[in-house]
Amino acid sequence: MTEDHNTLRRGTRAVIRHLSSVISHLSTLFLVVALAATTFAVPAPMQSADGTLYVGCQTNDRAPMRAPVLRFAETVKQHFEADFLTLGSAESPLSIVLGSETNAVSTLVKDRFTLRDQSFSQLIIRVPNPDTVDLELLRTAIIEALLRERTRALAGTYTALTWPPWFLQGAVDASKGNLALAEAYERAFALREAGTLPTPEALLAPGAPAPDPAVATCFARWLLTLGTQPYTPREGETPAETERALAATRRDRVRRLEALLTTPWTAEALLPLDAATAWEAWLDERERAVLLPGVVTRSQFARWRASLACPDTPEAARALSDRLSREAVGKPQPFCDLTELYLRACAAAVVGDAFRAAALWSEADEAAGVLAAHLQREPILQQTPQAIDPKGSRFNE
C-alpha cells in the first residue's frame, strides 16, 4: 500500500512538473504575442490641422505613407477652396484608409464612399496601395467626398451629387492652377475657331454626351464663378463700409455655389438669360488675360500676330510701340525677344527711316514665323532659363 502510495505521489509530482512546464511555455507565448501586438500595433490616423481630413492605415508597413497622402489631400482641398467653395467638416471628417495590398490602382474600391453610422457619419476613401495610386483618381475622389459632405450639411442626408461626372472632373481640373487652365483654354479656343465649341445650352441639354475635357474645365470655371465678380469699392466709401460690402459679396458667392450642389442640372435652372453672350465674353476675356506669368498660348500668339501691321506714319509707329511694350509684360523671353524686333522697326518708322523700318519689320516677321512653327508643335510657350537669340533660332523646347 505504501509502495502504491509512493508511486502515486511520484506520478502526481511528474504531472505537476509537466503542467508547470506547459504553463511556463504558455506564459512565454502569451508574453511574446502581447509584445508583438504592442510592437506592431497599427499607428493612429494622422489628421489635418483643421480636423477635416484623416489618413489612417490598416497595417504598420503603410504608416510612413500617411503623411504624404495627408499633404496631398490638404493641397487638393486648399486649391479647390481657393477658387470655389470651402469644404470639409471637423464634425464629419473625411477619412482616407491606406491598405496593404500590392494591387494596382484599378483595385481602388469602385464605390469609394462608405457610410459609417457611429457617433458621427463619415465618408471613407479606401486606397489599397498608395505607392501605385492614380493621383488624378484620388484627387477627384477627395473633392467628390468633400462636396457630398457639404451637400449632407445642407440637406441633412447623404445624396448623390447632381453634378454630372464630366462636370465634377472639369471642376477639379479647373482648380489645378493657371497652367492647366491655359492648356484647357487653348483647346477650347481651337474648337471655337473650328465652329465646334458647344453652347452652354447644348452642354446641359438632356442626354447630351460628355464634352471634351478641356471644354468641361472651361465651362466648370465659368459656371462656378458666374455672378461672383470682385467687389469694387465706391468713391468715398469708408473701410468699414467696404468690409461689410465684401462680406456680403462673399456670402452671396457661397450661397450661389451651395445652390449648385442641390439645383436640378438643367439649363433653365442653372443658366442666366444671356448665357451664350456671357460665355463668349468670358472666353474672350480669358484669351486676353495673362493666365500665368511667362506663358503664351498658340491662339494668343496667333491673334497677336494677326493684329500687327507695319506702321506707315510716325504717329502710328509710336502708338504701336506703346501697345507692344504693354503686351510684352509677363510674357516668356522668346516672345519678349520677338517684341524687341518689332519695337526696333517702330523706332525706325518714328524717325522717318522707312527703308530701315521695312527691313527690320521683315526680319521680325521671319522670327515670328519660326515661333509660330514652334507653337504648332507645342501649344503652350513657357518661360525657361534658356532664351532665344533675336533671330529666333532657339525656343523653349
Side-chain angles (χ1 to χ4, degrees):
M1 186 72 171
T2 301
E3 183 177 352
D4 291 342
H5 183 69
N6 290 337
T7 300
L8 179 60
R9 290 178 59 189
R10 286 195 297 273
T12 300
R13 285 196 295 271
V15 170
I16 291 173
R17 284 196 299 273
H18 177 70
L19 288 175
S20 297
S21 176
V22 170
I23 292 172
S24 176
H25 281 85
L26 287 175
S27 298
T28 302
L29 178 61
F30 292 152
L31 178 61
V32 170
V33 171
L35 288 174
T38 301
T39 302
F40 297 103
V42 176
M46 299 183 71
Q47 72 177 83
S48 60
D50 61 3
T52 62
L53 298 168
Y54 281 78
V55 177
C57 54
Q58 292 179 331
T59 57
N60 205 3
D61 62 317
R62 291 300 180 198
M65 294 298 297
R66 290 173 302 158
V69 172
L70 179 60
R71 284 195 299 271
F72 175 79
E74 287 180 309
T75 300
V76 169
K77 177 175 175 288
Q78 290 165 2
H79 284 178
F80 192 88
E81 289 179 332
D83 282 337
F84 303 123
L85 182 67
T86 300
L87 298 175
S89 166
E91 287 71 35
S92 298
L94 171 63
S95 181
I96 301 175
V97 180
L98 310 180
S100 60
E101 295 87 342
T102 58
N103 312 63
V105 67
S106 58
T107 63
L108 190 64
V109 178
K110 186 176 182 181
D111 183 11
R112 296 181 294 274
F113 309 107
T114 304
L115 186 63
R116 189 172 66 193
D117 187 14
Q118 295 180 352
S119 58
F120 55 83
S121 297
Q122 186 180 38
L123 290 175
I124 301 174
I125 298 176
R126 301 189 185 279
V127 182
N129 185 2
D131 293 317
T132 59
V133 68
D134 182 332
L135 292 180
E136 294 308 308
L137 177 60
L138 181 57
R139 183 193 307 273
T140 303
I142 290 169
I143 293 300
E144 183 175 352
L146 291 172
L147 285 171
R148 287 188 65 193
E149 176 56 43
R150 188 62 178 261
T151 304
R152 183 204 63 79
L154 294 169
T157 183
Y158 283 109
T159 59
L161 287 178
T162 58
W163 296 4
W166 63 264
F167 185 81
L168 173 63
Q169 188 61 56
V172 173
D173 290 343
S175 67
K176 288 181 181 178
N178 284 345
L179 183 57
L181 284 173
E183 294 172 341
Y185 293 146
E186 174 60 28
R187 171 66 178 158
F189 293 138
L191 293 174
R192 184 166 68 163
E193 290 179 353
T196 58
L197 182 69
T199 64
E201 291 81 2
L203 289 168
L204 296 177
D212 183 288
V215 175
T217 298
C218 293
F219 183 66
R221 167 71 61 150
W222 173 71
L223 188 59
L224 291 172
T225 56
L226 198 61
T228 59
Q229 288 76 16
Y231 177 74
T232 303
R234 300 186 306 273
E235 184 177 354
E237 189 173 86
T238 66
E241 290 172 334
T242 300
E243 181 54 38
R244 285 194 295 271
L246 288 172
T249 300
R250 287 191 291 267
R251 288 193 298 270
D252 289 343
R253 182 173 186 270
V254 169
R255 281 195 292 267
R256 168 169 171 73
L257 292 174
E258 287 180 338
L260 286 177
L261 294 174
T262 54
T263 300
W265 204 256
T266 64
E268 293 76 13
L270 296 176
L271 298 179
L273 294 177
D274 60 343
T277 302
W279 170 237
E280 290 290 335
W282 184 82
L283 286 170
D284 287 338
E285 184 181 346
R286 299 284 79 71
E287 179 72 341
R288 294 188 297 268
V290 177
L291 300 172
L292 192 68
V295 168
V296 169
T297 68
R298 178 192 297 157
S299 60
Q300 285 177 325
F301 180 76
R303 291 175 186 274
W304 176 84
R305 189 183 181 195
S307 71
L308 300 179
C310 187
D312 53 3
T313 66
E315 291 73 20
R318 289 191 189 94
L320 180 57
S321 180
D322 181 62
R323 192 195 103 195
L324 291 175
S325 297
R326 291 197 312 270
E327 292 175 345
V329 175
K331 299 299 197 303
Q333 192 60 46
F335 185 90
C336 293
D337 291 343
L338 177 59
T339 298
E340 180 61 29
L341 291 178
Y342 282 111
L343 288 174
R344 291 178 191 175
C346 289
V350 166
V351 298
D353 192 344
F355 180 80
R356 177 170 171 76
L360 290 172
W361 193 272
S362 178
E363 181 182 355
D365 278 346
E366 182 183 351
V370 176
L371 187 53
H374 168 79
L375 283 167
Q376 287 302 313
R377 302 191 303 272
E378 300 290 339
I380 302 293
L381 182 68
Q382 301 180 55
Q383 181 64 62
T384 67
Q386 186 181 41
I388 64 170
D389 61 30
K391 293 294 290 182
S393 61
R394 293 193 307 277
F395 292 96
N396 141 2
E397 294 181 336

